[in-house]
mmCIF file of all heavy atoms in Angstrom:
data_model
loop_
_atom_site.group_PDB
_atom_site.id
_atom_site.type_symbol
_atom_site.label_atom_id
_atom_site.label_comp_id
_atom_site.label_asym_id
_atom_site.label_seq_id
_atom_site.Cartn_x
_atom_site.Cartn_y
_atom_site.Cartn_z
ATOM 1 N N TYR V 31 -14.825 4.338 -0.243
ATOM 2 C CA TYR V 31 -14.743 5.389 -1.186
ATOM 3 C C TYR V 31 -14.287 4.910 -2.598
ATOM 4 O O TYR V 31 -14.701 5.433 -3.591
ATOM 5 C CB TYR V 31 -13.736 6.464 -0.711
ATOM 6 C CG TYR V 31 -14.309 7.303 0.439
ATOM 7 C CD1 TYR V 31 -14.254 6.802 1.719
ATOM 8 C CD2 TYR V 31 -14.977 8.473 0.176
ATOM 9 C CE1 TYR V 31 -14.825 7.594 2.764
ATOM 10 C CE2 TYR V 31 -15.496 9.264 1.260
ATOM 11 C CZ TYR V 31 -15.395 8.752 2.525
ATOM 12 O OH TYR V 31 -15.922 9.483 3.558
ATOM 13 N N ASN V 32 -13.359 3.983 -2.562
ATOM 14 C CA ASN V 32 -12.905 3.369 -3.767
ATOM 15 C C ASN V 32 -12.174 2.084 -3.399
ATOM 16 O O ASN V 32 -11.862 1.701 -2.269
ATOM 17 C CB ASN V 32 -11.914 4.311 -4.579
ATOM 18 C CG ASN V 32 -10.704 4.724 -3.860
ATOM 19 O OD1 ASN V 32 -10.020 3.895 -3.241
ATOM 20 N ND2 ASN V 32 -10.373 5.979 -3.883
ATOM 21 N N GLN V 38 2.903 -5.532 -7.065
ATOM 22 C CA GLN V 38 4.138 -5.412 -6.343
ATOM 23 C C GLN V 38 5.083 -6.471 -6.790
ATOM 24 O O GLN V 38 4.859 -7.668 -6.651
ATOM 25 C CB GLN V 38 3.931 -5.529 -4.818
ATOM 26 C CG GLN V 38 5.202 -5.215 -4.024
ATOM 27 C CD GLN V 38 4.971 -5.217 -2.528
ATOM 28 O OE1 GLN V 38 4.118 -5.923 -2.038
ATOM 29 N NE2 GLN V 38 5.735 -4.373 -1.829
ATOM 30 N N LEU V 93 -10.500 1.773 0.327
ATOM 31 C CA LEU V 93 -10.399 3.047 1.020
ATOM 32 C C LEU V 93 -11.623 3.348 1.766
ATOM 33 O O LEU V 93 -12.733 3.500 1.209
ATOM 34 C CB LEU V 93 -10.099 4.165 0.010
ATOM 35 C CG LEU V 93 -9.788 5.523 0.597
ATOM 36 C CD1 LEU V 93 -8.468 5.528 1.287
ATOM 37 C CD2 LEU V 93 -9.815 6.580 -0.519
ATOM 38 N N GLY V 98 -12.249 9.365 4.152
ATOM 39 C CA GLY V 98 -11.649 8.581 3.006
ATOM 40 C C GLY V 98 -10.217 8.448 3.069
ATOM 41 O O GLY V 98 -9.523 8.532 1.999
ATOM 42 N N SER V 99 -9.641 8.220 4.218
ATOM 43 C CA SER V 99 -8.146 8.269 4.273
ATOM 44 C C SER V 99 -7.561 6.893 4.694
ATOM 45 O O SER V 99 -6.360 6.783 4.737
ATOM 46 C CB SER V 99 -7.733 9.243 5.326
ATOM 47 O OG SER V 99 -8.284 8.951 6.575
ATOM 48 N N ARG V 100 -8.360 5.922 5.037
ATOM 49 C CA ARG V 100 -7.805 4.659 5.503
ATOM 50 C C ARG V 100 -7.801 3.569 4.435
ATOM 51 O O ARG V 100 -8.827 3.185 3.972
ATOM 52 C CB ARG V 100 -8.601 4.174 6.753
ATOM 53 C CG ARG V 100 -8.154 2.834 7.279
ATOM 54 C CD ARG V 100 -8.908 2.521 8.523
ATOM 55 N NE ARG V 100 -8.514 3.364 9.599
ATOM 56 C CZ ARG V 100 -7.504 3.121 10.406
ATOM 57 N NH1 ARG V 100 -6.797 2.000 10.277
ATOM 58 N NH2 ARG V 100 -7.227 3.888 11.409
ATOM 59 N N LEU V 101 -6.630 3.153 4.042
ATOM 60 C CA LEU V 101 -6.522 2.097 3.091
ATOM 61 C C LEU V 101 -6.275 0.790 3.792
ATOM 62 O O LEU V 101 -5.274 0.672 4.548
ATOM 63 C CB LEU V 101 -5.300 2.391 2.148
ATOM 64 C CG LEU V 101 -5.634 2.938 0.770
ATOM 65 C CD1 LEU V 101 -4.290 3.081 -0.008
ATOM 66 C CD2 LEU V 101 -6.585 2.083 -0.025
ATOM 67 N N PHE V 103 -5.444 -3.144 3.131
ATOM 68 C CA PHE V 103 -4.982 -3.989 2.097
ATOM 69 C C PHE V 103 -5.307 -5.482 2.366
ATOM 70 O O PHE V 103 -5.382 -5.931 3.505
ATOM 71 C CB PHE V 103 -3.402 -3.923 2.051
ATOM 72 C CG PHE V 103 -2.919 -2.679 1.336
ATOM 73 C CD1 PHE V 103 -2.819 -1.425 2.079
ATOM 74 C CD2 PHE V 103 -2.571 -2.650 0.008
ATOM 75 C CE1 PHE V 103 -2.339 -0.359 1.475
ATOM 76 C CE2 PHE V 103 -2.148 -1.523 -0.603
ATOM 77 C CZ PHE V 103 -1.992 -0.345 0.160
ATOM 78 N N GLY V 104 -5.478 -6.222 1.293
ATOM 79 C CA GLY V 104 -5.530 -7.666 1.384
ATOM 80 C C GLY V 104 -4.097 -8.202 1.414
ATOM 81 O O GLY V 104 -3.143 -7.448 1.328
ATOM 82 N N GLU V 105 -3.949 -9.500 1.633
ATOM 83 C CA GLU V 105 -2.614 -10.048 1.713
ATOM 84 C C GLU V 105 -2.050 -10.383 0.416
ATOM 85 O O GLU V 105 -0.878 -10.824 0.314
ATOM 86 C CB GLU V 105 -2.659 -11.324 2.564
ATOM 87 C CG GLU V 105 -2.980 -10.979 4.062
ATOM 88 C CD GLU V 105 -2.454 -12.061 5.042
ATOM 89 O OE1 GLU V 105 -2.087 -13.166 4.577
ATOM 90 O OE2 GLU V 105 -2.453 -11.739 6.231
ATOM 91 N N PHE D 34 0.750 8.767 5.331
ATOM 92 C CA PHE D 34 0.509 7.495 5.975
ATOM 93 C C PHE D 34 1.778 6.599 5.906
ATOM 94 O O PHE D 34 2.451 6.561 4.873
ATOM 95 C CB PHE D 34 -0.687 6.730 5.291
ATOM 96 C CG PHE D 34 -1.857 7.559 5.222
ATOM 97 C CD1 PHE D 34 -2.186 8.373 4.120
ATOM 98 C CD2 PHE D 34 -2.763 7.532 6.259
ATOM 99 C CE1 PHE D 34 -3.324 9.166 4.068
ATOM 100 C CE2 PHE D 34 -3.938 8.303 6.274
ATOM 101 C CZ PHE D 34 -4.192 9.083 5.190
ATOM 102 N N TYR D 36 3.240 2.693 6.312
ATOM 103 C CA TYR D 36 2.844 1.300 6.336
ATOM 104 C C TYR D 36 4.117 0.421 6.589
ATOM 105 O O TYR D 36 5.247 0.857 6.262
ATOM 106 C CB TYR D 36 2.254 0.882 4.977
ATOM 107 C CG TYR D 36 0.940 1.559 4.644
ATOM 108 C CD1 TYR D 36 0.924 2.801 4.063
ATOM 109 C CD2 TYR D 36 -0.281 0.916 4.954
ATOM 110 C CE1 TYR D 36 -0.276 3.405 3.728
ATOM 111 C CE2 TYR D 36 -1.454 1.509 4.632
ATOM 112 C CZ TYR D 36 -1.451 2.738 4.007
ATOM 113 O OH TYR D 36 -2.679 3.347 3.689
ATOM 114 N N GLN D 38 5.444 -3.658 5.928
ATOM 115 C CA GLN D 38 5.120 -4.912 5.262
ATOM 116 C C GLN D 38 6.125 -5.946 5.651
ATOM 117 O O GLN D 38 7.309 -5.813 5.393
ATOM 118 C CB GLN D 38 5.111 -4.708 3.757
ATOM 119 C CG GLN D 38 4.618 -5.977 2.969
ATOM 120 C CD GLN D 38 4.616 -5.753 1.430
ATOM 121 O OE1 GLN D 38 5.479 -5.044 0.965
ATOM 122 N NE2 GLN D 38 3.666 -6.386 0.812
ATOM 123 N N SER D 43 0.812 -8.580 3.768
ATOM 124 C CA SER D 43 0.243 -7.335 3.166
ATOM 125 C C SER D 43 0.786 -6.124 3.956
ATOM 126 O O SER D 43 1.498 -6.261 4.949
ATOM 127 C CB SER D 43 -1.266 -7.370 3.225
ATOM 128 O OG SER D 43 -1.725 -6.285 2.459
ATOM 129 N N GLU D 59 -1.571 3.396 15.045
ATOM 130 C CA GLU D 59 -2.500 2.275 15.072
ATOM 131 C C GLU D 59 -2.253 1.481 16.338
ATOM 132 O O GLU D 59 -1.188 1.512 16.935
ATOM 133 C CB GLU D 59 -2.345 1.440 13.832
ATOM 134 C CG GLU D 59 -2.720 2.110 12.563
ATOM 135 C CD GLU D 59 -4.111 2.558 12.550
ATOM 136 O OE1 GLU D 59 -4.988 1.708 12.596
ATOM 137 O OE2 GLU D 59 -4.350 3.782 12.353
ATOM 138 N N PHE D 91 9.836 -3.963 5.364
ATOM 139 C CA PHE D 91 9.707 -2.994 4.279
ATOM 140 C C PHE D 91 8.725 -1.848 4.703
ATOM 141 O O PHE D 91 7.603 -2.199 5.088
ATOM 142 C CB PHE D 91 9.124 -3.733 3.056
ATOM 143 C CG PHE D 91 9.060 -2.925 1.762
ATOM 144 C CD1 PHE D 91 10.274 -2.549 1.110
ATOM 145 C CD2 PHE D 91 7.884 -2.559 1.199
ATOM 146 C CE1 PHE D 91 10.228 -1.836 -0.089
ATOM 147 C CE2 PHE D 91 7.846 -1.786 0.021
ATOM 148 C CZ PHE D 91 8.996 -1.442 -0.578
ATOM 149 N N ASN D 104 -9.110 11.205 -2.366
ATOM 150 C CA ASN D 104 -9.291 9.714 -2.235
ATOM 151 C C ASN D 104 -8.254 8.955 -3.105
ATOM 152 O O ASN D 104 -8.385 7.724 -3.169
ATOM 153 C CB ASN D 104 -10.683 9.338 -2.640
ATOM 154 C CG ASN D 104 -11.711 9.835 -1.578
ATOM 155 O OD1 ASN D 104 -11.330 10.021 -0.422
ATOM 156 N ND2 ASN D 104 -12.895 9.999 -1.991
ATOM 157 N N PHE D 108 1.974 6.375 -3.556
ATOM 158 C CA PHE D 108 2.914 5.655 -2.696
ATOM 159 C C PHE D 108 4.335 6.009 -3.048
ATOM 160 O O PHE D 108 4.666 6.206 -4.199
ATOM 161 C CB PHE D 108 2.697 4.201 -2.779
ATOM 162 C CG PHE D 108 1.477 3.657 -2.075
ATOM 163 C CD1 PHE D 108 0.198 3.765 -2.661
ATOM 164 C CD2 PHE D 108 1.563 3.160 -0.777
ATOM 165 C CE1 PHE D 108 -0.900 3.344 -2.019
ATOM 166 C CE2 PHE D 108 0.421 2.776 -0.112
ATOM 167 C CZ PHE D 108 -0.812 2.855 -0.751
ATOM 168 N N ALA D 110 8.366 4.640 -3.063
ATOM 169 C CA ALA D 110 8.885 3.343 -3.569
ATOM 170 C C ALA D 110 9.267 2.365 -2.451
ATOM 171 O O ALA D 110 9.588 1.281 -2.739
ATOM 172 C CB ALA D 110 10.151 3.732 -4.397
ATOM 173 N N ARG D 113 13.592 -0.667 2.400
ATOM 174 C CA ARG D 113 13.769 -1.993 2.965
ATOM 175 C C ARG D 113 14.874 -1.839 4.063
ATOM 176 O O ARG D 113 16.004 -1.493 3.777
ATOM 177 C CB ARG D 113 14.274 -2.998 1.954
ATOM 178 C CG ARG D 113 14.461 -4.372 2.482
ATOM 179 C CD ARG D 113 14.406 -5.449 1.397
ATOM 180 N NE ARG D 113 13.168 -5.439 0.665
ATOM 181 C CZ ARG D 113 12.033 -5.943 1.120
ATOM 182 N NH1 ARG D 113 11.939 -6.535 2.321
ATOM 183 N NH2 ARG D 113 10.958 -5.884 0.368
#
Side-chain angles (χ1 to χ4, degrees):
Chain V
Y31 286 85
N32 61 46
Q38 186 175 32
L93 186 69
S99 60
R100 177 176 290 271
L101 259 182
F103 285 83
E105 292 205 346
Chain D
F34 304 91
Y36 296 84
Q38 185 179 34
S43 190
E59 295 299 300
F91 188 69
N104 290 335
F108 285 82
R113 183 159 302 283

